[in-house]
Amino acid sequence: MKTSHLLETEKAIAFVKKMFTKKLLKNLKLFPVSSPIAIIDGTGINDDLNGIEKPVRFPIKSIDSQQAVIVQSLAKWKRLRLKELQIEPGRGILTDMRALRPDETLSSIHSVYVDQWDWEKHILPDDRTLVFLKKTVNKIYKALVETEKLVYSKYKHLVPVLPRKIRFIHAEELLKMYPGKTTHERENLAAKKFGAVFIIGIGSKLSNGEAHDGRAPDYDDWISKNGSPFPGLNGDIILWNPVLKQAFEISSMGIRVDAGSLIRQLDEKGCPERKNLLFHSMLLKGELPQSIGGGIGQSRVCMFLLRKKHIGEVQVGIWPEQLKVELRNKQICLA
C-alpha cells in the first residue's frame, strides 16, 4: 500500500476527530479538560467495565512502590472531576481518553488500545428520566450526522448513510421482537432494519433471566424504572456498518447511579463491600454531583465515517504479525 494513501488516511482521521469534537462540545455544552492515563489502585475510581476485566498494574517507585493501574475508562473519575471543577448543572466536561484493556479479544473492531471521547455532564435530580436520556442521545447522534455530512463535503466518495433519526428500543422490547436470537443477532437485526439504534437497559435482567450485556454496578444506572415499564437509564448507540455488514457499537452511556441505585446494583452483583471505597463512600454521602456521561469510541467513529474494514487502519495497535501479513495481502494495512 502506498505511503501517500496512508498519509491521506491520517489526514482524514484528524479531520473527523476535529469536526466531531467541535460538534460534541457545542451540542452537549461541554468544556475540554485533560485526564489521567493511570490512577492509584484501591480507590474504586477505575472502571470494571463488565466486572471481569483486569487492568494493567505497576508500582510507582517514588511513592513507596504504591500500586497504580492504567485506566480502562473514566466514568467515575469524570464525576469526581465535575465536583473538583465545580461544573454547574447543564454543563459538562469532555476529555481525550486513552486506555488499555489487555483482556480484550482482538478482532476487526476490538484492540488492546482504547481511545474515546469521554464526557460527563452535571444534571439535576429531576433530570434522572428516560426523556432526558433520550434528549442527550439525540444531541450526540446529531453531532455524528453533522460530522458525516462534513466528511462527505471533503471526501465525495464517502456518501452519507446514517438515517436522519436514531431509533430507541429497550433491550426487553428487542428480545420480544426477535425471540430465540442471541444478543448479537438481535443487535444485527435491529441495526440493519433501522440504521441507528439506542438500546436501553444494558445490565438489567430481561424476562429470559439474562442481561442483554454486562455492566459494572457502580457507574450507569441500569436498575431504575423512572416512568418506563422496563428498568434502565443507560444504553448503547449502535449503527449498521455497511462495510462490515454488521451492528457497530460506537458508544456506551447513561445516567449515573445515585445512592439508592448504587446500593441496589452492588447487592445485585454481590459486591456490597465496595461501599467502603473512596468513590462509593463519597457518592453515598451525597458529596458527588448527579451526572450523565459516557464514552464514544474515537477509532470506531473514524472507522465508520471513513468506511474502513479494520480498526487497525485508524489507530496504532498491537496485532499478531501473521494477521498483519494476511490483511496486507487484502490491501488492508494495519498501522
Side-chain angles (χ1 to χ4, degrees):
M1 189 167 289
K2 296 180 180 179
T3 303
S4 59
H5 179 79
L6 295 176
L7 183 57
E8 285 303 311
T9 297
E10 290 291 345
K11 291 179 180 179
I13 291 169
F15 180 76
V16 169
K17 290 184 177 182
K18 179 180 179 181
M19 293 300 104
F20 187 72
T21 299
K22 182 178 180 180
K23 296 294 182 181
L24 203 60
L25 288 169
K26 178 182 178 182
N27 291 2
L28 291 184
K29 297 182 178 179
L30 307 175
F31 300 105
V33 300
S34 56
S35 60
I37 184 63
I39 55 179
I40 297 298
D41 194 17
T43 61
I45 296 173
N46 202 6
D47 285 332
D48 298 310
L49 303 175
N50 292 315
I52 57 173
E53 292 85 352
K54 297 177 182 178
V56 177
R57 302 175 185 276
F58 60 94
I60 300 179
K61 181 179 179 181
S62 297
I63 315 180
D64 299 323
S65 294
Q66 191 168 355
Q67 288 289 313
V69 288
I70 302 294
V71 298
Q72 296 193 117
S73 89
L74 295 171
K76 288 177 280 188
W77 176 86
K78 290 177 297 179
R79 200 164 175 181
L80 288 166
R81 199 60 176 153
L82 286 179
K83 171 183 171 65
E84 294 166 349
L85 296 175
Q86 299 181 347
I87 302 296
E88 63 188 89
R91 310 287 294 192
I93 58 175
L94 177 68
T95 189
D96 197 16
M97 189 275 281
R98 297 288 182 268
L100 293 178
R101 297 178 182 173
D103 285 344
E104 194 72 80
T105 300
L106 299 181
S107 73
S108 62
I109 60 174
H110 294 97
S111 63
V112 171
Y113 170 69
V114 180
D115 52 351
Q116 289 186 167
W117 288 280
D118 238 329
W119 63 276
E120 198 80 11
K121 191 171 181 178
H122 186 179
I123 64 174
L124 297 172
D126 289 346
D127 295 326
R128 296 180 52 79
T129 67
L130 198 56
V131 171
F132 186 84
L133 174 65
K134 289 180 177 180
K135 285 182 179 179
T136 305
V137 172
N138 281 328
K139 291 176 181 178
I140 295 171
Y141 186 69
K142 180 183 178 183
L144 185 65
V145 170
E146 291 172 337
T147 303
E148 185 182 47
K149 291 178 180 177
L150 289 171
V151 170
Y152 175 62
S153 69
K154 189 174 180 67
Y155 304 99
K156 291 301 182 182
H157 64 289
L158 298 173
V159 180
V161 296
L162 290 172
R164 189 169 61 88
K165 293 184 178 181
I166 189 169
R167 177 67 177 262
F168 293 91
I169 306 174
H170 193 279
E172 180 65 32
E173 295 176 292
L174 199 59
L175 177 63
K176 292 177 179 178
M177 285 172 64
Y178 304 112
K181 301 294 185 181
T182 66
T183 294
H184 182 67
E185 289 170 340
R186 295 196 295 271
E187 289 184 355
N188 272 334
L189 290 166
K192 186 175 183 179
K193 180 177 181 179
F194 300 112
V197 295
F198 183 75
I199 300 178
I200 305 166
I202 308 294
S204 60
K205 287 184 179 180
L206 306 179
S207 59
N208 63 355
E210 302 175 358
H212 182 83
D213 201 355
R215 275 294 197 278
D218 41 17
Y219 53 104
D220 284 351
D221 187 341
W222 41 260
I223 208 165
S224 295
K225 288 184 181 292
N226 285 272
S228 169
F230 309 121
L233 288 173
N234 72 339
D236 292 341
I237 297 176
I238 298 177
L239 312 175
W240 176 252
N241 189 310
V243 175
L244 300 180
K245 305 295 183 184
Q246 67 180 53
F248 193 73
E249 180 190 327
I250 64 162
S251 178
S252 170
M253 59 170 287
I255 291 174
R256 306 308 195 184
V257 290
D258 59 10
S261 56
L262 173 63
I263 292 174
R264 290 192 294 273
Q265 291 181 182
L266 289 177
D267 289 341
E268 175 80 13
K269 289 288 188 177
C271 50
E273 70 282 355
R274 290 193 192 181
K275 291 184 289 187
N276 298 318
L277 296 173
L278 173 64
F279 172 85
H280 304 69
S281 61
M282 290 181 68
L283 178 58
L284 293 173
K285 291 175 184 176
E287 296 175 355
L288 297 178
Q290 296 296 309
S291 68
I292 183 174
I296 305 169
Q298 292 187 13
S299 291
R300 289 279 184 96
V301 169
C302 290
M303 187 180 169
F304 180 86
L305 294 181
L306 300 179
R307 310 292 186 254
K308 297 298 183 180
K309 295 180 179 179
H310 198 287
I311 197 168
E313 295 181 87
V314 294
Q315 64 164 234
V316 179
I318 299 174
W319 308 100
E321 192 60 35
Q322 182 179 352
L323 175 64
K324 294 171 72 173
V325 172
E326 290 175 358
L327 292 179
R328 193 178 301 122
N329 292 333
K330 298 178 182 178
Q331 299 301 305
I332 300 173
C333 186
L334 304 188

